[in-house]
Amino acid sequence: MNGSDSGNVPQPQIDGRGGVDTGPRNVMLDLQNPDLLTPPPTDHGTLPNMKFSFSMAHTRMEEGGWTREVTQRELPIATTLAGVDMHLNPGAYRELHWHKEAEWAYVLEGSCRIGAVDQDGRNFLDDVRKGDLWFFPKGVPHYIQALEEGVEFLLVFDDGSFSENSTFMISDFFAHTPRNVLAKNLGWTPEQLERMPEREKYIFSGQVPPPLESDRVVSPAGDVPRTFSHRMHAQEPLRFDGGTVRITDSTNFAASTTISAALVELEPGGLRELHWHPTNDEWQYYISGFGRMGVFGSSTLARTFNFQAGDVGYVPFAYGHYIENLGNEPLVFLEMFRDPRFADISATQWMANTPPQVTADTLNVPRDLVESLPKTKRPVLR
Ligand code: MN
Ligand code: MN
């Protein structure tokens, strides 16, 4: 775009405030962030950045797939959780590995096989597809392999300083162990280790695996007592006028002891109501649609951010916020928390369950208006 089609170019100017931006500018970014360019007049003061897009993150490309991450380094306020977006071509592997953080994952497209073995030698193997999730506790070793259609998934780790580039890989471990020690450990001869990789493999090509049942190993210790996979999208949603909500936490997915989540689908014009979370920060991933989030940080501070597919949002603990669908298609996003239980406080429910005269006197509205508020929660509405 250039000056000749300035009629289509948004300007930082509204209702007699601001002025035309004739200087160097990134119009594509301005178009994606209308509430940054011309913020609602209710925005005020300086709040930290709470948005980062995977499209602004470095892509690590490997033979077999790619990955990129949004961590505390990209989004400094995001201290509790970090996210990774990963794609594996059909049959490709994410190598056998482990890490210091627990791993929660949501399958965005396609399908993959996931396997893990816990500290008691109990094993886990399952196939997961779009809408399913998994959870691997910290330190538990695991692998991922794409099935015939390939796979893209979102990984969420329970520490903002996590990096996908510093996990513990079996090839890296063995490449840095003397060969005679490794041979003794495995009961093999050094000659049998000759073709072992000299560096980490990380993501690499492979053949699409056989059907799940023929890939299973029977451990004498049995299976893991609590399955590491869960069909999140297959959950019957909570339905409201304006959209649906699916909540997955340790109450319906027992293995997920450190991360809880909600999958929200907001219809056009729908609103994720004014609320906050009484336990922890919120890390968001936007799957489709276009919308905005207003965040209130007390002491007059408020800021508005726009989001679309592939963006990450963040809300500090206790900050009030809402999310509004501004587009013509559903706005679909995940809310994640470093907490075993999902919890939110609804401003409306709070008001409706407080003696009505108190709220009426506080907000300068008639008492009967307060009495008309619903006493049960409406997480989304129209
Ligand atoms: Mn992992
Ligand atoms: Mn929230």
Side-chain angles (χ1 to χ4, degrees), residues 1 149 174 342 368 381:
M1 288 189 198
E149 50 194 338
F174 287 4
F342 176 88
D368 60 348
L381 53 102

Side-chain angles (χ1 to χ4, degrees), residues 272-273 275-277 281-282 284 293 315 319-323 333 335 337 342-344:
R272 174 80 173 91
E273 68 165 347
H275 71 282
W276 60 96
H277 302 277
D281 298 4
E282 172 176 345
Q284 304 164 341
M293 173 168 70
V315 188
Y319 278 32
H321 54 287
Y322 67 86
I323 297 165
F333 60 95
E335 308 176 357
F337 305 86
F342 176 88
D344 67 353

Side-chain angles (χ1 to χ4, degrees), residues 43-61:
D43 276 16
H44 182 253
T46 305
L47 280 176
N49 180 44
M50 299 179 202
K51 170 185 176 172
F52 199 89
S53 180
F54 274 105
S55 294
M56 294 288 284
H58 166 77
T59 304
R60 178 175 175 180
M61 292 190 291

Side-chain angles (χ1 to χ4, degrees), residues 93 113 125 127 143 145 147 208-218:
Y93 289 99
R113 182 158 300 166
L125 193 72
D127 288 349
Y143 81 97
Q145 185 179 19
L147 300 179
V208 174
L212 183 61
E213 288 314 314
S214 56
D215 223 8
R216 277 196 199 285
V217 175
V218 177

Side-chain angles (χ1 to χ4, degrees), residues 148-163:
E148 56 283 348
E149 50 194 338
V151 68
E152 181 178 348
F153 46 85
L154 174 75
L155 302 168
V156 178
F157 299 88
D158 59 1
D159 184 343
S161 64
F162 171 85
S163 175

Side-chain angles (χ1 to χ4, degrees), residues 94 97 99 103 136 142 155 157 164:
R94 169 65 174 94
H97 71 283
H99 27 76
E103 170 178 317
F136 294 133
H142 53 276
L155 302 168
F157 299 88
E164 180 62 22

